[in-house]
Amino acid sequence: MNYRDRAKQSSLRAKEEHKAVLRDFIQIRGVFDLRMRQSFSPCIRIKQRTKNNAIIAIGAVVIGGAVTYSLWNHFHPEETPSKKAAVPLKTGGTSTLRQFDLSKAQLQKMISDFQYEMDVGLSRNGGKTSLKMLHSFVGKPTGNEKGAFYALDLGGTNFRVLKLDLLGNGKLGASEKQQFEIPQEAMRGGAHDLFDFIAGCVERFVLQYNGPTDPSNTIKLGFTFSFPVNQTSLAAGTLIKWTKGFTTEGVVGRDVVALLSEHLERRRLHIEVVALVNDTVGTLVAHGYTDVNTELGVILGTGTNAAYAEYTHNIKALESPFHREKMIINIEWGAFGDVNDVLPLTSVDKKIDQNSVNPHNQKFEKTISGLYLGEIARLLTLELAEEGTLFVGTDVKTSNFIKKDSFPTATVSQFLMDNSDQLSDIERVMLNQYGLSTSRRDRALLKEVSLAVVTRAARLSATAIAAILHKINRLSDATVAIDGSVYEKIPGFKVTMENTIRELYPGSSVKTELARDGSGNGAAIIAATV
Ligand code: BGC
């Protein structure tokens, strides 16, 4: 094929792509986005004016580039370097979708509400707050802690036991880990089922990596328990409430360290539980061990929450002594919105809350975390189908798509990653999993739904992070340590978060970093300080 044919062919391909994009935009949005028109029109004009083949070729390349760029922007607004990553979604079309588009003004209002509730939580002065600002009795690590320490990490659907060597000088050595799936009867049964299961896993692990324990060789263990706990000291705390689908009876209101110790003793294990740690606190400590600029520990996974270090003299509600300048506070931000009407919730969020095992609780968590994002996307899709925007002529109600929790958050990620022309991954999933055949327009809209849900989650979490960093005056050179599948696995989540922080505080320099396994490692480091 000669140069001229190639140019002609690529010009034709570009034209086709251009038409497909226009079709989507006209169908989905009803109107042509002005910005899109601006980015296309110079290219179109160049092409119309010229008869010279060389210029046609250049025009084709430019059109191809603009189409690819516009498509990329359309589906990945958060990943476009300088541009609108900070700008909310460009989804237009239906007001159902637009509810998920949060303006800068809405986010700024959320910052002041969040900071106000943090202050009320710190002072417990009788004001209304959903931020519990729980005391951890942990300071920031020095990096000098040394030795081999054990931890167990309970917080989501999995449970981990680990052994970690601390080398001092901010260096972590070898680690051993084992993961166990928590059986349903332990999550939903009684306290004995859960704690006996945990003690059994610890026994297996310790026998393998330490050998039998005896009174002269007691093992120190840090217990990461990722639920809201009222701590009265480093190694004592009562469960306030369950979250993330746990409903185990007989634990709320009881000291979880005492429960664990009792079940370890029953197995004649000489293990002392020296620290009770929330996963956010563990993440902050583990990352802070190697990076002194770490200001926040955040979890964006099955559940969500954050911890930061506060001056002890500001923690007016503190009743037990603590002799370090700062104490790490477990904010329990997942409950934000439970007490005051501070979240811009949609009709879908209300349904999620009503259908959950803990209605009226963890409203912020229900807009952000991995346990809910797939379900939000599913319910939003159903609303669009009901109003006739999607699946026109198809009876969705007789498909598997109607089943609660049938659309996992991992599928939301999968949809976002489908960059094929025909969105064939989406087509396959919808057909194979739900028996639904889709038009290309349906699939483009399904991708928009995923983007809308995920972008809102990233912007909301970034706003809470910005609120905390602003409050402690650390908007420059701060590292935010984050663990969890939402942050790690959803395409574009990190970029959208960082851009949102810059949008809210121009000139700030905040980086977010993955802190995998921080929750368990942090508990081992804290155990080393005892
Ligand atoms: C819990 C927090 C935890 C977070 C992340 C929330 O549901 O209440 O304590 O830190 O999930 O695991």
Side-chain angles (χ1 to χ4, degrees), residues 372-518:
Y372 305 100
L373 291 182
E375 184 65 0
I376 298 175
R378 190 186 71 89
L379 291 176
L380 178 55
T381 305
L382 286 177
E383 281 198 5
L384 289 168
E386 230 157 76
E387 72 184 25
T389 309
L390 189 59
F391 298 136
V392 180
T394 308
D395 189 5
V396 188
K397 293 212 167 106
T398 54
S399 77
N400 284 341
F401 198 76
I402 203 73
K403 288 193 193 132
K404 182 172 184 278
D405 295 325
S406 63
F407 192 73
T409 300
T411 310
V412 173
S413 292
Q414 198 183 346
F415 280 17
L416 287 175
M417 281 186 285
D418 186 353
N419 292 319
S420 64
D421 182 43
Q422 287 307 309
L423 301 170
S424 34
D425 251 5
I426 301 182
E427 182 172 30
R428 201 169 15 84
V429 171
M430 292 311 288
L431 196 61
N432 296 350
Q433 307 283 321
Y434 308 102
L436 286 170
S437 39
T438 47
S439 65
R440 193 188 178 287
R441 178 184 170 281
D442 285 337
R443 300 195 288 277
L445 200 42
L446 282 166
K447 190 162 171 174
E448 285 254 349
V449 165
S450 301
L451 188 57
V453 171
V454 159
T455 303
R456 182 185 71 155
R459 283 172 69 72
L460 284 172
S461 11
T463 304
I465 288 174
I468 304 161
L469 291 176
H470 177 251
K471 181 177 159 48
I472 61 174
N473 207 8
R474 285 294 282 124
L475 277 160
S476 56
D477 297 329
T479 306
V480 178
I482 309 185
D483 197 3
S485 50
V486 167
Y487 174 77
E488 188 182 352
K489 305 222 168 104
I490 296 184
F493 206 90
K494 172 186 163 80
V495 183
T496 305
M497 281 178 77
E498 290 182 349
N499 286 327
T500 304
I501 298 174
R502 267 196 297 278
E503 176 192 349
L504 291 165
Y505 291 106
S508 58
S509 53
V510 174
K511 65 173 183 208
T512 66
E513 265 175 18
L514 182 65
R516 207 183 275 127
D517 295 338

Side-chain angles (χ1 to χ4, degrees), residues 134 154-156 225-229 241-245 278-281 298-306 330 332-335 358 362 365 369 372 483:
L134 300 171
L154 173 71
F225 183 74
S226 307
F227 300 93
V229 164
K241 63 175 184 182
W242 283 120
T243 58
K244 295 178 281 197
N278 186 264
D279 51 358
T280 54
V281 177
V298 175
I299 302 290
L300 291 166
T302 310
T304 184
N305 187 15
N330 163 17
E332 283 295 332
W333 81 14
N358 54 350
Q362 301 294 100
E365 180 162 278
S369 82
Y372 305 100
D483 197 3

